[in-house]
């Protein structure tokens, strides 16, 4: 197939001097390409991250390099260790930050006063704090979590239209023509360069402090073994870079999911009341991996529906690892009748493969009333097509390894939040402003919620 532009039922192909792009709109095609093979990372994104942190971190690595780092990290992100080691820290850190807000709401009077909160910033601080336990063996104090949140925001912001971004675009186009996209060196704004330096320096200092204190940090020891073939300076640089990306990936995505969830809960009175009822129910057992989703099923359904309605990673981008063939169907005419005609389409190595998960999450033929926020749809058995189409944490071998951690964080933080606060009804989900960061994930901005301390919480704090 040599046509420049070809449109099929399942995908479209666009060929130009800059290469080939395959825009996929069928989950079946996406699964065939991403699930059955390990495709290459999107080279411009890999080059951007490498330019920033001077290391090809796991989230943009390929082949043996990716596998070795993933093998070093994933044992500490599995459901059992997360439930055993991490869940109590999440609970404690979230409760401490939210209790401080309760004190602000209660003031000196028994009757709590409403306060407005910037939801996303608050959730980023909570996630920053608890991630410290995984990386340094101890949750971060609130002050350090706030510093990390601000520094991370500056380092990962997507800034368009300035001179450095224009230069990056021109150079990227030239390198793509030469098939050398992986050698792209990005120019960053001065504020971003400083924020990245500050972030890497802060992480290095925290690692030193953890080692000096003798705190057990299994993940750190595993990464030391992973990069044992490097010299001391190289090994340190690799670990600091991997830590920086774990902060970025964990904080950006989880805080966004929590923000969208609270916005949807504020928008739906019946959902809010159900969440509050479940969150304030006495816990039946301690943390036990997947049992957390059974202990708080409605909160879990709210999370799943939030991630269906709001795609935090809006685009799955890969590059074809090798020359491949896929079947495309197009409408044709045969003897005066309209029929589906199948064609074999050649996809060359290096072709960009792009799939938008929203197509599987919002398709009317798959989900009844897809634009409606309905957590109860996950309380019923999903159809085979729904199971196949809903990929919260990616598709295939390169899917997110932090699934258990993200689910645990979301459930426990929502529980701690609604244990302590009554949330006012506020229809805001139709006009939430979003922006993409440099890793192409979605960040909701300017989402505010009005809360007041729950009955009993205000009196408790006003007496302290």
């Amino acid at each position: 197939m040599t046509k420049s532009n070809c449109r099929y039922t399942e995908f479209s192909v666009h060929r130009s001097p800059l290469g080939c792009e395959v825009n996929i709109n069928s989950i079946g095609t996406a699964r065939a390409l991403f699930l059955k093979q390990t495709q290459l990372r999107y080279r411009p994104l890999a080059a951007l991250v490498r330019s920033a942190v001077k290391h090809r971190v796991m989230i943009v690595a390929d082949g043996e390099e990716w596998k070795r780092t993933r093998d070093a990290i994933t044992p500490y992100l599995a459901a059992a260790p997360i439930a055993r080691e991490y869940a109590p820290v999440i609970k404690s850190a979230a409760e401490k930050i939210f209790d401080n807000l309760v004190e602000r709401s209660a003031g000196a009077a028994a009757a709590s006063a409403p306060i407005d909160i910037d939801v996303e910033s608050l959730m980023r601080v909570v996630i920053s704090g608890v991630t410290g336990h995984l990386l340094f063996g101890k949750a971060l104090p609130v002050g350090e979590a706030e510093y990390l949140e601000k520094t991370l925001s500056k380092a990962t912001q997507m800034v368009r239209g300035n001179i450095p971004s224009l230069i990056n675009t021109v150079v990227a186009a030239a390198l793509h023509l030469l098939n050398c996209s992986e050698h792209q060196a990005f120019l960053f704004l001065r504020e971003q360069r400083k924020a990245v330096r500050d972030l890497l320096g802060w992480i290095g200092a925290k690692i030193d402090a953890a080692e000096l204190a003798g705190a057990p940090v299994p993940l750190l020891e595993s990464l030391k073994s992973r990069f044992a073939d490097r010299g001391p300076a190289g090994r340190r640089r690799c670990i600091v870079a991997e830590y920086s990306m774990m902060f970025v990936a964990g904080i950006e995505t989880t805080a966004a999911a929590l923000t969208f969830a609270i916005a949807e809960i504020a928008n739906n009175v019946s959902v809010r009341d159900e969440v509050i009822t479940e969150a304030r129910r006495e816990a039946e057992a301690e943390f036990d991996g997947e049992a957390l989703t059974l202990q708080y099923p409605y909160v879990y359904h709210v999370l799943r529906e939030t991630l269906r309605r709001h795609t935090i990673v809006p685009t799955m981008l890969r590059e074809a690892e090798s020359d491949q063939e896929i079947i495309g169907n197009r409408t044709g005419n045969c003897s005066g009748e309209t029929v589906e005609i199948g064609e074999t389409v050649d996809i060359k190595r290096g072709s960009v493969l792009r799939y938008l998960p929203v197509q599987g999450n919002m398709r009317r033929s798959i989900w009844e009333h897809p634009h409606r926020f309905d957590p109860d749809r996950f309380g019923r058995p999903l159809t085979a097509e729904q199971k196949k189409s809903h990929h919260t944490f990616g598709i295939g071998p390169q899917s997110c390894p932090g699934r258990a951690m993200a689910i645990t964080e979301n459930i426990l933080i929502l529980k701690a939040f609604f244990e302590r606060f009554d949330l006012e009804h506020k229809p805001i989900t139709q006009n939430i402003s979003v922006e993409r960061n440099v890793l192409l994930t979605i960040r909701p901005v300017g989402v505010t919620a009005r809360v007041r301390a729950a009955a009993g919480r205000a009196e408790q704090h006003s007496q302290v």
Side-chain angles (χ1 to χ4, degrees):
M1 180 60 62
T2 58
K3 296 178 182 178
S4 296
N5 295 287
C6 305
R7 187 178 296 277
Y8 301 91
T9 304
E10 304 87 356
F11 57 89
S12 60
V13 180
H14 174 72
R15 292 183 173 88
S16 72
L18 293 178
C20 174
E21 291 188 358
V22 181
N23 295 308
I24 306 164
N25 52 42
S26 160
I27 186 61
T29 302
R31 287 170 64 88
L33 289 171
F34 296 146
L35 188 60
K36 297 177 182 178
Q37 306 180 54
T38 302
Q39 306 288 7
L40 298 173
R41 302 290 185 173
Y42 183 56
R43 282 180 291 175
L45 180 59
L48 183 149
V49 173
R50 188 204 62 238
S51 295
V53 299
K54 307 298 185 279
H55 170 61
R56 192 175 175 87
V57 295
M58 185 194 74
I59 65 171
V60 293
D62 288 308
E64 187 64 22
E65 184 180 13
W66 162 76
K67 185 178 183 301
R68 289 182 63 196
T69 306
R70 186 180 175 100
D71 289 347
I73 291 174
T74 49
Y76 307 99
L77 299 178
I82 289 297
R84 182 178 60 252
E85 304 292 340
Y86 199 56
V89 178
I90 298 171
K91 180 177 182 292
S92 175
E95 288 177 347
K96 182 176 181 180
I97 291 175
F98 296 153
D99 281 340
N100 289 338
L101 284 178
V102 170
E103 291 180 13
R104 281 175 50 195
S105 175
S112 63
I115 59 173
D116 292 320
I117 58 173
D118 182 322
V119 179
E120 202 245 0
S121 294
L122 174 64
M123 295 304 161
R124 287 167 67 90
V125 170
V126 175
I127 299 298
S128 299
V130 299
T131 305
H133 179 74
L134 177 69
L135 304 186
F136 310 121
K138 186 178 181 181
L140 300 179
V142 174
E144 287 193 58
E146 291 174 339
Y147 164 80
L148 176 61
E149 190 276 325
K150 290 183 174 62
T151 304
L152 202 59
S153 293
K154 292 178 183 177
T156 60
Q157 64 181 326
M158 176 80 79
V159 183
R160 300 180 184 274
N162 54 70
I163 292 177
S165 68
L166 293 175
I167 292 174
N168 292 337
T169 300
V170 172
V171 174
L175 289 173
H176 201 115
L177 285 170
L178 298 172
N179 198 31
C180 296
S181 298
E182 66 273 18
H183 299 299
Q184 168 84 9
F186 283 82
L187 298 179
F188 298 93
L189 292 176
R190 179 181 302 174
E191 294 83 358
Q192 282 182 290
R193 293 199 305 270
K194 182 180 184 306
V196 171
R197 287 197 303 270
D198 290 346
L199 176 64
L200 298 178
W202 178 84
I203 290 174
K206 290 295 294 184
I207 291 175
D208 291 343
E211 292 186 307
L212 187 62
V217 188
L219 177 60
L220 178 59
E221 296 305 316
S222 182
L223 285 174
K224 285 181 179 178
S225 297
R226 157 67 181 97
F227 298 111
D229 57 338
R230 315 289 174 97
R235 181 166 58 249
R236 178 187 172 86
R237 184 177 65 251
C238 292
I239 294 173
V240 168
E242 295 290 351
Y243 267 31
S244 71
M245 287 299 103
M246 280 188 270
F247 266 125
V248 172
I251 294 170
E252 299 279 344
T253 55
T254 306
L258 286 163
T259 302
F260 282 123
I262 288 176
E264 289 287 4
I265 293 168
N267 197 55
N268 295 267
V269 174
S270 61
V271 172
R272 180 197 63 188
D273 293 345
E274 186 73 22
V275 168
I276 287 175
T277 298
E278 187 169 274
R280 296 177 188 175
R281 191 171 61 223
E282 192 69 28
E284 298 175 0
E286 289 299 315
F287 314 111
D288 183 21
E290 293 295 332
L292 195 63
T293 63
L294 302 177
Q295 196 169 344
Y296 303 104
Y298 192 76
V299 173
Y300 181 46
H301 297 160
V302 167
L303 170 62
R304 296 184 72 185
E305 177 69 345
T306 298
L307 296 176
R308 184 194 67 82
R309 286 276 288 112
H310 304 279
T311 309
I312 309 300
V313 182
T315 309
M316 293 185 187
L317 276 173
R318 294 289 187 270
E319 295 191 10
E321 184 180 28
S322 59
D323 292 350
Q324 299 167 36
E325 292 182 346
I326 53 177
I327 302 297
N329 294 293
R330 66 161 80 234
T331 302
N333 187 284
C334 180
S335 301
E337 295 185 7
T338 301
V339 296
E340 285 284 319
I341 301 174
E343 296 180 354
T344 300
V345 182
D346 296 324
I347 305 298
K348 297 297 183 183
R349 183 185 188 278
S351 297
V352 176
L353 310 174
R354 179 183 288 106
Y355 174 68
L356 305 181
V358 69
Q359 295 181 110
N361 291 341
M362 301 297 287
R363 187 158 289 173
R364 293 184 184 278
S365 61
I366 300 174
W367 305 94
E368 184 179 3
H369 304 298
H371 292 278
R372 179 185 299 170
F373 187 80
D374 179 17
D376 288 332
R377 73 174 84 240
F378 287 98
R380 302 183 290 269
L382 297 182
T383 67
E385 193 68 19
Q386 288 170 340
K387 291 178 181 178
K388 187 171 70 173
S389 300
H390 187 48
H391 291 277
T392 302
F393 297 96
I395 300 176
Q398 294 171 329
S399 59
C400 176
R403 178 181 182 275
M405 182 170 68
I407 291 173
T408 301
E409 286 177 332
N410 276 279
I411 291 176
L412 290 179
I413 291 171
L414 287 173
K415 171 180 164 52
F417 184 85
F418 284 100
E419 273 185 318
R420 286 158 176 76
F421 296 109
D422 291 325
L423 178 66
E424 288 191 8
H425 173 64
K426 187 177 182 181
I428 57 177
T429 55
Q430 301 305 316
N431 54 7
I432 294 177
S433 297
V434 298
E435 59 186 33
R436 290 195 186 190
N437 67 14
V438 294
L439 293 183
L440 307 181
T441 61
I442 289 294
R443 178 179 181 183
V445 294
V447 178
T448 60
R450 175 160 291 187
V451 300
R452 65 176 70 234
R457 295 280 178 178
E459 291 86 344
Q460 185 181 47
H461 281 269
S462 66
Q463 295 170 6
V464 175

